[in-house]
Amino acid sequence: MKSSVRKINIVADSAIPFLRGVLEPWAEVRYLPGTAIAPEDVRRADALIVRTRTRCDERLLAGSSVRLVATATIGFDHIDTAWCAAHGIRVATAAGCNARGVLQWVAALLAHLSRTQGWTPADKTLGIVGVGHVGSLVRQYAAAWGFRVLCCDPPREAREPDGGFLPLGTVAREADLLTFHVPLDASTRHMADAALFRTMKPGATLINSSRGEVVDTQALLASGLDCALDVWEHEPHPDPELLRRALVATPHIAGYSEQGKAMATALAVRAAAEVFGLPLDAWYPPAAAPSAPRAIAWSELCATIGGAFDIEAESLRLKNAPGDFERIRDGYAFRHEYF
């Protein structure tokens, strides 16, 4: 006798790793390219599992039966959270999942710049804008490596007035390397603008692995500042001149570690488990190794990071084929976190 219990209906981004086969015992799952998910695809869906490439707003969701939007990303600027809340749709993110992956990208960049420019951490002041999941790790490791570290985080400063946070202008004026780790919202869109660039030291380097729109592309080009970028305005079509001029350019893969991606998918699955009562509340991809955080000395980092993540090769790959931004990103071989 067939069960009368209806399977839930889920639409998922086909590029999300480790997901296929996990929900199928309880759900009908349709896998689609994230940019191709359309209103007719979600009309009868109970849940969406997406990445940043799917804009989840009234245009997509109006008239649908969606109860959950789970994004396998830390950012959620692709989701109209206010509209979802007003229409009873729960939004779940994977906050913090890829923090160590981004730390690894920053570490690889710093080691690359140190080697190619001939400096050591003791020579440099690192400014960190946004001291959340990622920024906190960058602060911890960079200080241990010997950088002078200055931090700006207005929301945290309001909560922690004695936390040692400084105004953005102060950090920008003193930093040799200024790295952004902020979410994208009204307060951070074009946070790095012409006025900020005018305060930065000649020869300073701007680093962005948060969201492309945090940096005003045209103002950055006009400033003449050096930059290293993983994220870009108008992705997947970065400005050609900015791509050419960047010291390092990668296609939004800073957080693309095996463990980060595994945890992102796990958190999306767990959100579905909670909403729909599935026995997957502690699920983690069995094929993925768990993260194993540890301290690493600067000397060991410089000796080993190239074997784990050749950031120079990845940059050349994108610079040589800018039209392949999305293909490179979707086909990226996830790095293994080793610290």
Side-chain angles (χ1 to χ4, degrees):
M1 183 177 177
K2 291 184 178 180
S3 170
S4 60
V5 177
R6 179 183 74 88
K7 283 189 171 184
I8 59 176
N9 189 307
I10 295 175
V11 173
D13 186 317
S14 56
I16 294 175
F18 307 112
L19 185 60
R20 290 180 186 268
V22 176
L23 293 161
E24 277 76 351
W26 305 274
E28 298 287 348
V29 186
R30 186 180 181 194
Y31 297 93
L32 297 169
T35 55
I37 296 174
E40 56 269 24
D41 299 314
V42 308
R43 189 95 43 213
R44 294 187 296 175
D46 298 294
L48 302 183
I49 301 179
V50 299
R51 300 183 305 151
T52 57
R53 293 302 189 247
T54 304
R55 176 67 187 168
C56 299
D57 55 12
E58 181 178 8
R59 185 199 67 80
L60 181 68
L61 299 170
S64 74
S65 55
V66 171
R67 295 165 52 195
L68 169 70
V69 174
T71 182
T73 63
I74 59 171
F76 52 88
D77 48 281
H78 54 294
I79 302 172
D80 188 337
T81 54
W83 191 90
C84 287
H87 291 80
I89 299 174
R90 176 172 171 177
V91 173
T93 75
C97 69
N98 66 353
R100 285 193 173 271
V102 180
L103 168 68
Q104 188 180 60
W105 184 90
V106 173
L109 173 65
L110 295 176
H112 169 72
L113 295 179
S114 170
R115 177 176 57 81
T116 57
Q117 297 177 347
W119 50 258
T120 66
D123 302 326
K124 298 296 180 180
T125 295
L126 178 68
I128 302 172
V129 185
V131 194
H133 291 291
V134 176
S136 293
L137 283 176
V138 174
R139 176 171 65 174
Q140 173 190 338
Y141 278 77
W145 292 331
F147 289 91
R148 177 183 178 230
V149 178
L150 303 178
C151 295
C152 170
D153 192 312
R156 282 195 62 182
E157 184 177 15
R159 300 191 304 269
E160 307 166 44
D162 298 322
F165 300 106
L166 297 170
L168 178 58
T170 301
V171 174
R173 276 192 299 274
E174 298 195 30
D176 300 296
L177 305 139
L178 185 65
T179 182
F180 285 80
H181 301 287
V182 297
L184 178 62
D185 58 28
S187 70
T188 61
R189 189 178 298 274
H190 284 189
M191 171 183 267
D193 60 6
L196 184 72
F197 300 146
R198 284 193 295 270
T199 70
M200 293 176 66
K201 292 180 179 181
T205 300
L206 179 134
I207 301 166
N208 188 21
S209 57
S210 59
R211 283 291 184 268
E213 292 80 4
V214 168
V215 174
D216 183 332
T217 296
Q218 295 309 311
L220 178 57
L221 284 169
S223 74
L225 286 167
D226 285 336
C227 62
L229 304 172
D230 178 62
V231 291
W232 312 78
E233 283 195 293
H234 315 303
E235 284 183 26
H237 307 291
D239 182 278
E241 184 181 355
L242 187 59
L243 181 63
R244 178 183 59 80
R245 280 179 38 182
L247 299 176
V248 166
T250 52
H252 202 154
I253 48 81
Y256 274 31
S257 68
E258 176 188 355
Q259 292 78 13
K261 283 297 181 181
M263 183 51 71
T265 302
L267 291 173
V269 168
R270 293 174 193 181
E274 182 178 347
V275 170
F276 300 105
L278 310 180
L280 296 167
D281 54 302
W283 179 83
Y284 183 86
S291 185
R294 67 180 181 93
I296 185 170
W298 178 254
S299 57
E300 183 189 352
L301 172 72
C302 292
T304 59
I305 191 67
F309 177 33
D310 188 342
I311 197 169
E312 184 175 14
E314 289 298 336
S315 179
L316 288 172
R317 186 181 179 196
L318 178 61
K319 284 173 174 281
N320 289 337
D324 287 344
F325 188 105
E326 201 77 331
R327 183 188 63 79
I328 295 170
R329 187 182 190 219
D330 286 347
Y332 185 75
F334 302 136
R335 307 185 301 274
H336 181 77
E337 293 176 10
Y338 72 105
F339 62 88

